[in-house]
Amino acid sequence: MTKLVVLNLGKGNLKQGFATVTAQLYNYSNPIPIQFTGSLPAAPELIELYRRWQLLYLLLHEALFPGQRWHRNVASDAEIEIDVEDITNISSVEFSNLCNNLQDKINVWLKSELFRNIDQKLRTKLDPHEEIRVILETEDNQVRRLPWHLWNFFEDYQKAVFGLSASEVDEVKQLSKHTRDKVRILAILGNSEGIDIQKDRVILEQLPATETVFLVEPQRSELDRWLWDKQGWDILFFAGHGSSQIDGEIGEIYINQTESLTIAQLKNGLKAAITRGLQLAIFNCCDGLGLVRELASLHIPQTIVMREAVPDRVAQEFLKHFLEAFVNGESCHLAMREATEKLQGLESSFACASWLPVICQNPTAMSLVLNKVGSKPPSLHSRNIIGTIFKVSIATTALIMGMRSVGILQSWELTAFDAMMRSRPDEGQDKRILLVTVTEADVRSQSAKERGGASLSDRALAQVVEKLEQFQPRVIGLDIYRENHVGAEFKNLSRLMQKSDRFFAICEVSEENKNSGVSPPPEVSKQNLGFSDVIPDSDGIIRRQILAMAPASPCNTDKSFSFQLANRYLLAEGIHSKLTTEKNWQFGNVVFKNLEENSGGYHQIDNLGHQVLLNYRSSHQPATQVTLGDVLNNKLTPDLVKNRVVLIGTTAESFHDYWSTPYSVSQSSYQQMPGVMLQAHMVSQILSAVLDHRPLLWILPKWGEFIWVWGWSLVGGIIVWQFRSWLRLGLAGVASICVLYGVSFCLLLQGAWIPLVPSILVLIVSGTSIIIYTKFKTHQK
């Protein structure tokens, strides 16, 4: 956001001081300024210091460059008396000391107690990173000539630019004009005696997307005729000799070998050019402060001049750097500051080169900005573009959300969801769960005759359960199918399976024409059964957890295995489960809201029963893991088992109990997750949500998702509005997408699955649409 500071010194001068100084701070989104007041003391020493600086500036350059010709009329040198005998006494060190002294005195003056209120208020209200135009209004020519850019304020505020203004200003009233693809420049190449202005011409000719008319040493009538050109001009440029009267009231330019003109003599032609769109005048000649006063009275938006005599090389380098920055998207003021600062590189040869350029600004005009190709899109600062951004954002949001509603974006959204899930920081294992896994080695260590086709024989199961029971687990869950009766010789195992309220087993529900299901163990009661069914998404990845569903043979239970284990654990904590009136399962105070068929990035999923999104535990392993061999070899300790949920299941690859998850980068089995570990994630989700307040995954309502996506569509349009340079536009776009991803990721850590892919798409599509629309409207005019 650009800020404007108008510093009005009121009546007074450096000898008497300024009794009433007013600073007005404007924000262009608010026409009412903030105002501070103060005053400035008398500083007559600044008058003498600056006069001496002028004298030594000229003497030093003439001593160091005796053959150098200036962009200055020779007659104007009489304004400052030069004692030739003093030339021998000049040194760069003396001049440098004088410059430092002048800078110090200016800052001492502006740090005075009388001015402190203004200085402090400005620093409080302004951001060092925002563009700031500081405009001085005063009638005192000696104050206008001071190098105000040396004020420490401009060192602290790197995007602040100093400019002059007339004490009386009026808004520029321009006639309606056609929008041009190219910037029109009227370039006057005046009296070039002793100076090389052809380099100025070469610089202008190399500018892209510009239409330049060159007037070489024109007659007054020719110049006047071109100023009245009905197509209008964007920039007026003059190179040649120029001068101002010693009082600084009147400046003149030398348009050819015999004629010089004041601004008053060009007044009517200049007024016509301004009403037809003239935005900027550049006078690359000497001593232009007199020109500034007269041009300001015509209310031209921006004028750039040189405060003193300027060597050829300095004038040309300034022009080159200024135009390079200006046509590549910098505002006129920032381009001015950049070009001026780059002149410092010449100061080993041309002392105080960076002091010379001065800008005069009409405070009622915005700082001129051209886009990269040079054309001016006037609509970008109008209400029309705001309305256009609003309409385009609504249209693009409706389009993208419509595509989302029919499932076109589902695969992209799920892929992005998986990537963010994998990126979460490690949260450690759930200490309430113990995994007892049957590995390939464990399978081979059992008698094949006793084991049959199963991964775990009756004998091995009986031994495992016996060893676990002695350490008092809170729940034991057998995640291995067992359809047959326990052998008669294992009566203790059979009795435990029949009567224990903490032993749970699994079965599988049948699917019509697909799967006949798996019956439960005959010994286990219905209350201690849980179905093991899971529902992969269309890409085979498990992202959902089924808590309950209508019972179906041969697995006649309505609760999932993970539900049963977690519920039994929580009952011991005095926490009960129930169905709410909205048919959602609730454990204690935590409600597990059912997924709908079009929840989040999903489109028309099978949402049978009570399903929730599975918030996987972000850990390499969700719980402590021991093998069957570890248990049988008495490697268990009480702290591993007591009051835990113990899950027994196989990880042997030969039994193919593996599933794809968001952590499976590909579908290779070694990257998939064993079923027992998947059940551990599901149990952990319920326990952690209820006991640890770990967030469940949730989704915004449809209207909330639409507003979220629409907001990013607006961001895309605003970025295009604010940034003209393709480089800056690209950087801003990439930065916005990074911010969007970062916000979405942080929200996911809190459980919110925000529509990331639709937001990225609308940001890009809306921005692109605004670019296309703007170019189309530009070509129409």
Side-chain angles (χ1 to χ4, degrees):
M1 180 68 71
T2 301
K3 298 290 181 65
L4 170 66
V5 177
V6 178
L7 195 61
N8 191 316
L9 302 190
K11 301 294 183 180
N13 54 51
L14 286 172
K15 291 182 179 180
Q16 300 172 348
F18 299 88
T20 303
V21 178
T22 303
Q24 291 182 314
L25 173 58
Y26 290 85
N27 185 329
Y28 283 105
S29 62
N30 185 355
I32 301 175
I34 302 171
Q35 183 168 302
F36 327 116
T37 59
S39 57
L40 279 167
E45 67 276 11
L46 288 178
I47 302 173
E48 296 305 320
L49 274 175
Y50 189 78
R51 283 178 177 171
R52 179 160 178 78
W53 179 89
Q54 283 182 302
L55 174 64
L56 292 188
Y57 171 79
L58 291 174
L59 293 181
L60 180 62
H61 281 75
E62 290 187 6
L64 295 176
F65 306 101
Q68 172 75 48
R69 299 303 297 271
W70 306 76
H71 282 240
R72 177 185 182 92
N73 186 270
V74 178
S76 65
D77 288 339
E79 296 171 6
I80 300 177
E81 296 181 2
I82 301 175
D83 187 347
V84 178
E85 294 180 359
D86 286 344
I87 295 177
T88 58
N89 298 324
I90 299 170
S91 72
S92 297
V93 174
E94 179 186 359
F95 185 69
S96 177
N97 292 336
L98 178 60
C99 292
N100 292 335
N101 192 17
L102 179 58
Q103 180 172 356
D104 292 342
K105 292 294 184 182
I106 289 174
N107 280 290
V108 168
W109 183 51
L110 294 175
K111 286 180 181 178
S112 66
E113 186 68 29
L114 299 173
F115 192 70
R116 182 172 299 172
N117 179 56
I118 291 177
D119 183 73
Q120 290 180 343
K121 289 289 179 61
L122 289 178
R123 293 175 183 272
T124 301
K125 298 292 184 181
L126 294 172
D127 184 341
H129 302 292
E130 61 190 352
E131 183 176 343
I132 305 165
R133 294 187 295 152
V134 180
I135 297 178
L136 178 69
E137 292 182 351
T138 180
E139 290 298 317
D140 186 68
N141 287 324
Q142 292 172 327
V143 174
R144 290 166 66 88
R145 279 193 172 272
L146 290 178
W148 280 78
H149 69 282
L150 300 178
W151 183 13
N152 288 341
F153 176 88
F154 295 101
E155 185 70 26
D156 299 334
Y157 291 79
Q158 291 295 308
K159 291 187 177 181
V161 183
F162 173 77
L164 297 172
S165 174
S167 56
E168 294 184 6
V169 295
D170 195 4
E171 185 177 1
V172 180
K173 296 180 174 60
Q174 296 183 348
L175 300 174
S176 59
K177 62 167 187 169
H178 295 293
T179 303
R180 296 184 283 270
D181 290 333
K182 294 184 177 182
V183 175
R184 294 198 81 218
I185 302 174
L186 180 60
I188 307 164
L189 305 181
N191 182 3
S192 59
E193 180 182 357
I195 58 176
D196 181 11
I197 60 177
Q198 288 305 309
K199 289 186 179 179
D200 298 70
R201 178 168 188 156
V202 171
I203 292 170
L204 291 173
E205 288 175 337
Q206 292 176 346
L207 287 177
T210 56
E211 176 189 342
T212 305
V213 174
F214 290 95
L215 303 181
V216 181
E217 297 197 355
Q219 298 298 310
R220 177 177 177 178
S221 59
E222 181 186 9
L223 171 57
D224 195 67
R225 177 169 56 84
W226 279 104
L227 287 172
W228 281 89
D229 187 80
K230 291 185 178 180
Q231 293 185 56
W233 305 99
D234 299 298
I235 299 175
L236 174 66
F237 174 79
F238 174 81
H241 289 295
S243 66
S244 297
Q245 293 182 1
I246 194 167
D247 59 4
E249 293 287 343
I250 299 175
E252 57 185 348
I253 56 174
Y254 296 82
I255 60 173
N256 54 49
Q257 299 287 337
T258 59
E259 285 185 284
S260 66
L261 295 174
T262 63
I263 297 302
Q265 291 172 306
L266 296 171
K267 179 179 178 180
N268 292 337
L270 286 170
K271 287 176 67 176
I274 292 169
T275 58
R276 290 187 172 95
L278 180 63
Q279 297 285 311
L280 172 64
I282 303 174
F283 290 87
N284 220 14
C285 61
C286 292
D287 204 5
L289 288 178
L291 300 171
V292 162
R293 292 185 66 88
E294 294 184 280
L295 283 166
S297 67
L298 300 179
H299 311 302
I300 187 171
Q302 281 102 191
T303 305
I304 295 175
V305 298
M306 298 292 175
R307 71 168 69 246
E308 299 292 343
V310 55
D312 270 355
R313 174 81 183 280
V314 175
Q316 290 153 5
E317 287 295 310
F318 170 77
L319 179 65
K320 180 180 73 172
H321 295 316
F322 172 78
L323 292 177
E324 281 177 355
F326 192 39
V327 301
N328 280 285
E330 292 283 13
S331 69
C332 179
H333 283 74
L334 288 185
M336 169 79 178
R337 175 155 184 163
E338 180 178 325
T340 301
E341 290 178 343
K342 285 182 177 180
L343 291 181
Q344 193 174 45
L346 300 177
E347 291 185 348
S348 58
S349 301
F350 302 96
C352 291
S354 62
W355 291 31
L356 301 180
V358 182
I359 188 168
C360 181
Q361 167 75 45
N362 184 331
T364 67
M366 296 286 289
S367 184
L368 181 61
V369 178
L370 305 181
N371 67 3
K372 189 172 182 180
V373 299
S375 62
K376 288 184 294 185
S379 62
L380 290 182
H381 287 292
S382 67
R383 293 182 180 178
N384 292 337
I385 194 64
I386 301 296
T388 299
I389 291 174
F390 182 83
K391 293 174 184 176
V392 168
S393 65
I394 290 290
T396 54
T397 303
L399 172 64
I400 298 301
M401 294 302 280
M403 294 170 59
R404 187 185 197 230
S405 68
V406 297
I408 295 177
L409 306 182
Q410 178 171 305
S411 63
W412 292 0
E413 290 202 76
L414 295 179
T415 300
F417 172 80
D418 293 347
M420 289 193 291
M421 291 289 284
R422 290 192 297 270
S423 300
R424 296 177 302 165
D426 192 307
E427 59 183 309
Q429 296 178 345
D430 192 330
K431 300 300 183 182
R432 294 174 290 252
I433 302 173
L434 173 67
L435 293 175
V436 177
T437 60
V438 181
T439 65
E440 287 285 3
D442 293 328
V443 173
R444 290 193 298 269
S445 68
Q446 301 172 62
S447 167
K449 183 177 179 181
E450 290 183 350
R451 183 172 57 80
S455 62
L456 193 63
S457 66
D458 288 350
R459 183 180 303 278
L461 178 59
Q463 291 174 338
V464 168
V465 171
E466 181 182 355
K467 290 181 181 296
L468 290 170
E469 281 286 320
Q470 66 179 329
F471 294 123
Q472 298 180 336
R474 187 171 294 183
V475 190
I476 297 175
L478 180 62
D479 186 34
I480 297 175
Y481 294 124
R482 294 182 61 86
E483 298 182 84
N484 301 320
H485 284 277
V486 175
E489 65 270 35
F490 302 106
K491 292 181 180 180
N492 288 338
L493 175 63
S494 177
R495 188 179 305 110
L496 181 141
M497 295 174 68
Q498 291 174 17
K499 301 191 178 205
S500 174
D501 63 348
R502 61 184 180 189
F503 184 91
F504 290 82
I506 61 169
C507 52
E508 184 181 22
V509 175
S510 64
E511 297 180 68
E512 293 183 4
N513 303 322
K514 292 183 180 179
N515 185 2
S516 59
V518 179
S519 298
E523 295 83 4
V524 179
S525 66
K526 178 181 176 181
Q527 288 75 20
N528 284 38
L529 286 178
F531 58 79
S532 63
D533 299 64
V534 293
I535 301 182
D537 290 333
S538 57
D539 55 5
I541 294 178
I542 306 295
R543 299 184 182 90
R544 293 172 278 158
Q545 176 179 1
I546 308 177
L547 297 177
M549 62 181 177
S553 63
C555 187
N556 240 351
T557 178
D558 63 345
K559 307 292 192 309
S560 71
F561 185 53
S562 58
F563 182 103
Q564 293 282 51
L565 297 180
N567 187 54
R568 178 63 183 78
Y569 186 96
L570 294 171
L571 282 173
E573 300 285 337
I575 299 173
H576 297 266
S577 60
K578 66 177 182 179
L579 266 177
T580 66
T581 55
E582 292 80 20
K583 303 302 180 184
N584 296 311
W585 276 102
Q586 178 176 341
F587 294 83
N589 296 323
V590 180
V591 177
F592 290 69
K593 293 185 178 180
N594 299 325
L595 278 176
E596 300 177 1
E597 63 177 356
N598 291 306
S599 296
Y602 282 119
H603 171 67
Q604 293 186 347
I605 58 172
D606 180 0
N607 65 327
L608 63 88
H610 301 269
Q611 296 182 32
V612 295
L613 286 168
L614 177 52
N615 190 4
Y616 285 86
R617 193 169 191 88
S618 178
S619 178
H620 180 65
Q621 287 185 348
T624 304
Q625 183 174 332
V626 297
T627 65
L628 176 66
D630 293 333
V631 177
L632 298 181
N633 291 322
N634 298 315
K635 293 184 179 180
L636 282 182
T637 58
D639 61 299
L640 287 177
V641 181
K642 188 172 183 178
N643 289 328
R644 293 203 186 195
V645 176
V646 180
L647 276 163
I648 305 171
T650 181
T651 59
E653 294 181 14
S654 57
F655 286 88
H656 308 295
D657 185 19
Y658 277 80
W659 300 92
S660 294
T661 72
Y663 294 91
S664 304
V665 178
S666 72
Q667 301 302 308
S668 302
S669 62
Y670 68 89
Q671 291 177 315
Q672 294 177 317
M673 184 177 290
V676 66
M677 195 173 291
L678 181 62
Q679 293 293 345
H681 279 284
M682 293 178 177
V683 173
S684 179
Q685 160 154 279
I686 299 173
L687 296 182
S688 299
V690 177
L691 299 176
D692 304 334
H693 306 291
R694 182 174 181 264
L696 295 167
L697 293 177
W698 55 274
I699 297 161
L700 289 172
K702 291 300 178 186
W703 61 265
E705 289 185 325
F706 188 93
I707 291 175
W708 171 268
V709 174
W710 177 48
W712 287 101
S713 181
L714 286 172
V715 169
I718 292 170
I719 286 174
V720 172
W721 175 28
Q722 292 297 320
F723 296 94
R724 314 297 192 273
S725 162
W726 284 109
L727 175 61
R728 293 187 174 192
L729 183 60
L731 291 174
V734 171
S736 298
I737 291 174
C738 291
V739 169
L740 170 56
Y741 180 87
V743 171
S744 299
F745 179 71
C746 291
L747 289 173
L748 184 66
L749 295 179
Q750 302 304 313
W753 182 17
I754 299 298
L756 172 61
V757 171
S759 301
I760 293 176
L761 289 177
V762 295
L763 190 148
I764 295 172
V765 172
S766 63
T768 304
S769 300
I770 293 296
I771 292 173
I772 294 172
Y773 172 83
T774 303
K775 288 187 177 294
F776 174 74
K777 296 299 287 185
T778 298
H779 286 297
Q780 269 193 332
K781 294 183 179 181

